[in-house]
């Protein structure tokens, strides 16, 4: 950092030399009442629908972030995604037994206010009402005693006799004896503008900023966040709370762990909120996660939900769990909403998460103190593993509705990517650590998946998947450098497979006039039989010749496998991939898969024991200090 720039930030490589922010160690005086959520009426960016915050009917309204002015005859309600109070979650997991909602009303005539509630089926009931003709503070109270399985609370306001303005809307409860410190850790790699914007969002809300004791930005890239103009504008607002750390790229695991390492080393009683760099941040989410964590009966990991950045009304999933026997994460919890417009539907039922992804997640100090730091698996499955390990030690995870950030939609990222190496390897590592895998079932499943890739002419994807399995077979020594060499190998070797290259659609290496578009039929009722049939026909050369165009939605292996030369739209919609039948490459990869999976089936029980035995060392502060190049002295 250039100190002459006047930016209040410390760039550190060793926490012993720079120290932690004094604010992180400060005592917090508990207020009489703790604000659990505030009333917001518009979002943090213009692309966000106002109706995620409040709905106005029957007249005109004028919105600002924390105020809503209704003209005479207008009604409004907060039975919206961010306007609701998640009563079911608060009753089930916290010490809160009653909640108070208070607001300032500036009225010019008769105004009616209702506190409404829902149940698990979404049936509405009114739990408190008030009517006023006078400007002032209005308070409504209700018990949290009928919401265990589901339901929420919200407000309804009728401007009957004249204009009314609502401000300073707060949901609150008696505060606990102590309020916990909290720090935010943001991990970033060459997304400097996004990361700077996330920092700016946190600094834009004075109440949220005052509740944060430290902000650690872990920059692992070459396009530095500190060089962004927004960073220069934001750093003075964060002041001594900000710590900017540069280090080699150790992936999300290495970046987030650095935040956990720094904060837990500075204050063993501080909670940590891990936050992605490339989100659109709703600052209110920080306040809600922190309040919930302060009220839980036992220390609890508290996560924000993810809304889609490109389709910002849509929820990714209400809560997630794993199916480790099938090496799967990101599985929807039963009855949870998924890919759903939150303008049209609410998650009335309480759904309990198996783990929380780290786009935004609060981790209590007790968790780090008890289970240690994450496993250095570089990228993907690191958050899953940490959540599962926490649960095995008695710590629950709650994914809190009405607390969310916006993150890039997953379905815009193509599955055929270098990241598949880490997904392949890490799924085996994490599943080995937390369940007893069946060697026959696992190898059958992996052989089936690789066969589908080969039938679909995704040779690079098959290779990348096998790379991950092969490195799992190496045992814990594969994590010796934290993933730097693995990343280089995964990226570098994909260039050997032409179909992994994305081309502009207009200049792809095919004659456009010869491309015929072919749509896919329905999913086969007997997919294994079709897989065998496609593979046999390809081996005999009985495929449809000519160049075929296939859209992303139709790029199923059973459809692509009918042809020998296909132009497939990339999931990003920014280009195309050209897949061409290569019998010799398919044969070579099939033989390799057979040998690798045969070894995996034989050695899996012993490998599981090796990986489990290595966890204490892998997750120790000493191991991470070695990876970071920190001398603990």
């Amino acid at each position: 950092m250039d100190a002459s720039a006047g930016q209040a930030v410390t760039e550190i490589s060793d926490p012993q030399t720079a120290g932690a922010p004094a604010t992180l160690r400060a005592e917090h005086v508990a207020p009489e009442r703790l604000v659990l959520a505030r009333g917001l009426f518009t979002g943090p960016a213009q692309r966000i629908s106002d109706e995620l915050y409040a709905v106005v009917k029957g007249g005109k309204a004028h919105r600002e972030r924390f105020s809503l002015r209704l003209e005479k005859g207008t009604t409004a309600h907060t039975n919206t995604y961010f306007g609701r109070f998640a009563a079911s979650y608060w009753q089930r997991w916290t010490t809160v037994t009653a909640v108070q909602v208070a607001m300032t009303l500036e009225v010019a005539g008769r105004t009616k206010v209702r506190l409404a509630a829902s149940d698990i089926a979404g049936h509405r009931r009114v739990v408190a009402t008030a009517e006023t003709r006078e400007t002032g503070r209005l308070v409504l109270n209700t018990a949290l005693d009928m919401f265990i399985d589901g339901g929420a609370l919200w407000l309804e306001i009728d401007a009957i006799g004249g204009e009314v303005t609502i401000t300073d809307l707060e949901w609150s409860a008696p505060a606990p004896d102590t309020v916990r410190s909290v720090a935010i850790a943001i991990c970033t790699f060459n997304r400097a503008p996004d990361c700077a914007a996330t920092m700016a969002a946190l600094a834009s809300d004075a109440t949220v900023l005052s509740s944060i004791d430290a902000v650690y930005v872990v920059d692992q890239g070459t396009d530095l966040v500190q060089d962004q103009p927004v960073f220069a504008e934001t750093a003075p607002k964060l002041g001594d709370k900000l710590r900017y750390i540069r280090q080699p790229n150790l992936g999300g695991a290495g970046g987030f762990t650095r935040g956990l390492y720094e904060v837990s080393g500075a204050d063993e009683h501080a909670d940590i909120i891990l936050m992605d760099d490339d989100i659109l941040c709703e600052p209110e989410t920080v306040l809600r996660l922190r309040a919930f964590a302060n009220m839980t009966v036992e220390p609890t990991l508290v996560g924000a939900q993810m809304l889609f950045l490109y389709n910002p009304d849509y929820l990714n999933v209400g809560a997630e769990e794993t199916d480790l026997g099938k090496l799967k994460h990101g599985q929807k919890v039963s009855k949870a909403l998924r890919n759903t417009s939150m303008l049209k539907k609410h998650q009335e039922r309480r759904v309990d998460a198996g783990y929380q992804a780290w786009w935004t997640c609060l981790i209590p100090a007790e968790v780090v103190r008890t289970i240690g730091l994450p496993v250095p698996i570089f990228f993907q499955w690191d958050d899953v593993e940490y959540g599962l390990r926490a649960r095995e030690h008695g710590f629950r995870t709650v994914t809190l509705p009405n607390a969310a950030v916006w993150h890039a939609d997953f379905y815009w990222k193509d599955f055929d990517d270098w990241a598949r190496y880490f997904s392949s390897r890490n799924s085996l590592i994490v599943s080995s650590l937390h369940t007893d895998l069946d060697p026959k079932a696992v190898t059958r499943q992996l052989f089936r998946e690789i066969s589908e890739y080969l039938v679909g002419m995704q040779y690079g994807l098959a290779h990348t998947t096998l790379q991950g399995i092969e490195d799992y077979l190496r045992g814990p020594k594969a994590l010796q450098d934290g993933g730097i060499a693995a990343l280089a190998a995964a990226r570098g070797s994909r260039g050997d497979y032409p179909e992994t290259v994305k081309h502009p659609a207009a200049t792809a290496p095919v004659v456009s006039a010869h491309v015929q578009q072919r749509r896919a039929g329905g999913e086969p009722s007997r997919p294994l039989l079709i897989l065998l049939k496609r593979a046999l026909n390809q081996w005999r050369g009985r495929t449809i010749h000519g160049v075929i165009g296939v859209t992303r939605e139709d790029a199923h292996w059973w459809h692509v496998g009918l042809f020998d030369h296909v132009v497939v739209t990339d999931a990003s919609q920014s280009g195309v991939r050209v897949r061409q039948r290569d019998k010799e490459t398919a044969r070579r990869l099939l033989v390799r898969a057979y040998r690798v999976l045969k070894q995996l089936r034989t050695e899996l029980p012993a490998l599981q024991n090796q990986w489990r035995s290595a966890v204490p060392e892998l997750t120790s502060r000493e191991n991470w200090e070695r990876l970071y190049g920190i001398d603990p002295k």
Side-chain angles (χ1 to χ4, degrees), residues 365-395:
E366 292 88 343
V367 173
V368 182
R369 196 159 60 240
T370 302
I371 76 172
L373 297 170
V375 177
I377 53 179
F378 190 83
F379 177 71
Q380 295 199 352
W381 284 82
D382 47 340
D383 44 12
V384 180
E385 192 285 323
Y386 203 74
L388 295 177
R389 183 155 35 109
R391 186 162 188 165
E392 289 169 1
H393 284 80
F395 299 103

Side-chain angles (χ1 to χ4, degrees), residues 323-329 331 381 427 431 435 437 441-442 445-446 449:
D323 186 348
L324 297 182
K326 295 183 178 179
L327 309 178
K328 302 293 185 183
H329 70 320
Q331 305 300 291
W381 284 82
S427 66
S431 298
T435 194
L437 292 173
V442 167
Q445 176 182 317
L446 290 171
E449 291 173 0

Side-chain angles (χ1 to χ4, degrees), residues 82-266:
F82 285 108
R84 298 180 122 213
F85 181 78
S88 178
Y89 289 75
W90 285 89
Q91 182 179 347
R92 173 63 182 88
W93 298 114
T94 76
T95 59
V96 177
T97 58
V99 65
Q100 179 182 100
V101 56
M103 71 212 79
T104 298
L105 297 179
E106 183 178 335
V107 301
R110 186 162 71 97
T111 299
K112 192 170 184 179
V113 179
R114 292 177 296 278
L115 179 57
S118 61
D119 59 19
I120 192 172
H123 299 134
R124 172 185 173 276
R125 66 184 186 274
V126 175
V127 296
T129 62
E131 191 172 303
T132 183
R133 298 174 182 270
E134 298 180 0
T135 293
R137 195 74 174 156
L138 178 67
V139 176
L140 297 173
N141 295 279
T142 188
L144 290 186
D145 59 357
M146 298 173 63
F147 298 96
I148 290 178
D149 288 335
L153 291 162
W154 65 87
L155 284 171
E156 300 171 349
I157 305 104
D158 299 334
I160 300 171
E163 184 177 278
V164 58
T165 301
I166 305 103
T167 58
D168 302 321
L169 172 59
E170 295 179 340
W171 301 81
S172 68
D177 294 336
T178 58
V179 175
R180 303 160 68 96
S181 298
V182 67
I184 290 180
I186 304 172
C187 165
T188 186
F189 175 76
N190 288 349
R191 286 179 173 142
D194 292 336
C195 184
T198 298
M199 294 171 59
L202 295 171
S204 70
D205 190 311
T207 299
V208 169
L209 183 56
S210 68
S211 72
I212 300 169
D213 297 287
V215 176
Y216 285 83
V217 177
V218 183
D219 194 340
Q220 303 185 123
T222 53
D223 180 13
L224 300 181
V225 180
Q226 66 181 9
D227 294 338
Q228 293 291 312
V230 174
F231 182 92
E233 297 168 5
T234 303
K237 299 176 184 177
L238 297 175
D240 187 54
K241 295 181 178 182
L242 179 61
R243 290 293 182 271
Y244 180 80
I245 303 171
R246 290 184 59 192
Q247 67 181 30
N249 182 23
L250 292 167
F256 284 126
T257 299
R258 186 63 184 267
L260 292 168
Y261 171 89
E262 297 285 351
V263 174
S264 60

Side-chain angles (χ1 to χ4, degrees), residues 256 273-276 279 289 301-306 316-322 329-330 353-363 380-388 397-400 405 407 410:
F256 284 126
I273 296 178
L274 303 181
M275 183 175 285
D276 268 352
I279 59 172
L289 297 186
L301 290 82
V302 188
Q305 293 184 331
M306 174 188 144
N316 174 40
V317 63
E320 294 180 296
E321 60 185 359
T322 60
H329 70 320
Y355 70 93
Q356 169 67 35
W358 284 351
W359 44 70
T360 297
C361 179
L362 183 148
I363 298 177
Q380 295 199 352
W381 284 82
D382 47 340
D383 44 12
V384 180
E385 192 285 323
Y386 203 74
L388 295 177
T397 294
V398 171
T399 299
L400 186 63
V405 296
H407 187 284
F410 291 142

